[in-house]
Amino acid sequence: MRKRLTTVGKSCAVILPKELLELYGFTEEVEIEPAEGGLMLRPARKGLGFEQAADQVFEERDELLRRLRQA
């Protein structure tokens, strides 16, 4: 899907379709982090700051990799 950037004051925004917002569980806040070739956009986890959420994601991935190695 290709979207055009919209100017908002001195910044830019991307307008996401309602269907995508509902599909991925986006509410009022998002987590944005650099990723290979671009940016990763995720729903913000309630009660966690960006670094805490990133740490939790890495812990979850580590557990998944451990289980895959044992399979």
Side-chain angles (χ1 to χ4, degrees):
M1 171 184 300
R2 184 178 287 229
K3 299 295 286 180
R4 183 173 295 276
L5 290 174
T6 303
T7 302
V8 179
K10 294 182 180 180
S11 300
C12 289
V14 175
I15 306 300
L16 301 174
K18 181 179 178 181
E19 296 80 17
L20 282 180
L21 297 173
E22 291 173 354
L23 178 64
Y24 291 102
F26 287 103
T27 55
E28 294 180 6
E29 292 186 351
V30 297
E31 300 285 348
I32 303 171
E33 62 184 82
E36 189 172 330
L39 296 172
M40 177 66 69
L41 183 69
R42 293 189 179 102
R45 295 184 180 189
K46 293 187 191 271
L48 297 177
F50 179 80
E51 289 185 24
Q52 292 170 324
D55 289 343
Q56 187 169 346
V57 168
F58 287 117
E59 287 174 17
E60 290 168 2
R61 288 182 182 167
D62 286 344
E63 176 61 27
L64 175 62
L65 290 173
R66 264 189 238 108
R67 288 187 304 197
L68 288 172
R69 278 194 303 252
Q70 294 172 354

